[in-house]
Amino acid sequence: MVSIDHVTHKLLTYMPYILVLIDMRFEGVKCGKDGSVDNHMEMGKKLLAAGQLADALSHFHAAVDGDPKNYMAYYRRATVFLAMGKSKSALPDLSRVIELKPDFTSARLQRGNLLLKWGKLDEAEGDFKKVLKSNPSEKEEKEAQSQLVKSDEIQRLVAQSRSSFSSKDYMTAAAQLDTIIETCIWDATSREMRAECFIQMGEMGRAISDLKAASKLKNDNTQAFYKLSTIYYNLGDHEMSLTEVRECLKLDPDHKQCYSHYKQVKKLNKQIQSAEELIQEQRYQDAVSKYEAVMKSEPNVPQLLLLAMERICHALAQDQQASRAVSACSEVLESDPENVNVLKDRAEAYIQDEQYEEAIQDYEAAAKHSENDRQIKEGLEKAQRLLKQSKKRDYYKILGVKRTAQKKEIIKAYRKLAQQWHPDNFQDPEEKKKAEKKFIDIAQAKEVLTDPEMRTKFDHGEDPMDPESQQGHSQHFHRGSNGFQGFNPFGSGPFNFKFNFN
């Protein structure tokens, strides 16, 4: 049960808000009736105090429309714009206030602060100096003096940063621009220059951050979008490159640089999408050819070459072209040794090529950079099982076939070896004994590799013919006192059987 005291406390908490709303409702009715500027101003102030900025703005809009020479209406509206983070909209209103009432020092000081943040240093200094000459309050004088000193310091840093940039001392220029931007947070020009410094220093992530800010701070900033697109392109991110160049063309459909770049990026994007669709369709060789075409069309963009080779590595591994996959993956890892996807693909190719120790090394390297990757864990366990198995009996090696061999190839190899090692071909007791063992191994290899379920178990490191690895599993064969109970390729007597290759 909720206590009455608790409910009472809640009601008392919300009572001031309820009273404000009731007051505002009656005021709204009054405003609606006479539409006076004073009522709009009063309602706007109350709504602003209540934090209802959009509604307050509507009333100040009405007040400005009702009396275009009411400087306080503009000032109040500028206050709401600033509270909403719309400094661009606040600036014209503050200028109109100063035009209507030149001695309004609060408005001039606020405009000076905004101009300083926008990097309009000369205009900001003009406002601060006029504030100091207009009999300001002690607080206003102190603030204007402080901001004037700061503006002078920024002016000096701007000159130094341009000099450093011209001298190609990009690290020093970037450090100087850091200090400028701490104060001039909305200065698009400084951000664009710092972005260029970062590009020259190879810090593309930081360059992107500044250019994105500049694209929003300056209207119709096509150059920022063009640079963003080229950076993403050179980083191999063709999708983001396409997004940014489209933004440029939205602003100016006839922009020559953006249009030319757009055609280039669109062509690349289409090629890559087509290659990825081929991979999804398991048409791996076609996908490899498509990515090879990408590499030919973009030979001077290292990251795109790397991306294409990474996907070629993946497609070849999926297509079980082990040798080619290892070669392609290794080429990528020379430039990007911590690439987890490539490490996994090469590990899989090593398994296909029966290089289990190398596969284990790759999976362990990948695990260092992606600890919770289930695929890595399962791949590592598989490689470890296969390594252990390879030191025992390998049915593929017994028949002399590859792990990728089809059933027809396996039966063909079995027939050839069974004829070769048939015990009736040997007269010497020792040789016959050796042939018997070999013949049993050949028959078991054929049995395992032509049975899909047994072959799958073997491919995962489990020997269906080994009782130790079959504990807890249903077994096709059981060793008994006479060798293999339930599996006798020689029939009931000593080699008395009709040989049948099926």
Side-chain angles (χ1 to χ4, degrees), residues 59-114:
H59 280 283
F60 290 133
H61 280 323
V64 167
D65 292 340
D67 184 2
K69 293 189 177 181
N70 186 329
Y71 72 91
M72 280 305 296
Y74 288 103
Y75 184 72
R76 294 292 184 195
R77 189 168 71 175
T79 303
V80 176
F81 279 135
L82 289 172
M84 296 172 83
K86 298 181 178 180
S87 59
K88 279 185 182 179
S89 300
L91 202 54
D93 274 0
L94 291 172
S95 294
R96 180 63 174 150
V97 172
I98 293 164
E99 182 185 330
L100 294 168
K101 190 171 176 57
D103 62 343
F104 195 167
T105 54
S106 292
R108 194 177 289 280
L109 190 57
Q110 278 200 42
R111 188 177 73 171
N113 287 333
L114 285 180

Side-chain angles (χ1 to χ4, degrees), residues 208 212 228-237 240-241 244:
I208 287 170
K212 280 188 177 290
L228 280 167
S229 182
T230 56
I231 289 172
Y232 278 123
Y233 193 80
N234 289 321
L235 289 174
D237 192 339
M240 282 302 298
S241 179
E244 298 297 345

Side-chain angles (χ1 to χ4, degrees), residues 267-283:
K267 179 185 175 183
L268 174 73
N269 200 54
K270 191 174 180 181
Q271 284 180 306
I272 291 175
Q273 283 181 344
S274 176
E276 288 303 311
E277 285 170 7
L278 289 168
I279 289 175
Q280 290 297 317
E281 294 166 8
Q282 298 184 2
R283 294 168 58 189

Side-chain angles (χ1 to χ4, degrees), residues 7 19 72 98 100 111 114 195 221 241 277 300-301 312 333 351 375 430 445 448-449 451 471 476 479 494:
V7 174
L19 292 172
M72 280 305 296
I98 293 164
L100 294 168
R111 188 177 73 171
L114 285 180
N221 197 344
S241 179
E277 285 170 7
N300 301 317
V301 185
I312 287 171
L333 291 168
I351 286 176
Q375 192 179 10
E430 285 299 318
V448 170
L449 299 183
D451 182 297
Q471 286 178 3
H476 290 265
R479 287 185 186 272

Side-chain angles (χ1 to χ4, degrees), residues 100-130:
L100 294 168
K101 190 171 176 57
D103 62 343
F104 195 167
T105 54
S106 292
R108 194 177 289 280
L109 190 57
Q110 278 200 42
R111 188 177 73 171
N113 287 333
L114 285 180
L115 290 168
L116 183 59
K117 288 180 178 180
W118 283 101
K120 298 178 179 180
L121 303 176
D122 291 336
E123 295 175 56
E125 285 188 8
D127 274 344
F128 297 139
K129 286 175 181 177
K130 284 182 180 178

Side-chain angles (χ1 to χ4, degrees), residues 258-269:
C258 285
Y259 185 68
S260 175
H261 188 59
Y262 169 73
K263 289 193 293 183
Q264 184 181 9
V265 181
K266 190 176 180 183
K267 179 185 175 183
L268 174 73
N269 200 54

Side-chain angles (χ1 to χ4, degrees), residues 403-419:
R403 283 187 169 267
T404 55
Q406 300 297 313
K407 185 174 182 179
K408 190 182 290 185
E409 297 173 67
I410 291 166
I411 292 173
K412 184 179 178 182
Y414 161 72
R415 286 174 176 170
K416 183 179 177 181
L417 290 168
Q419 285 180 330

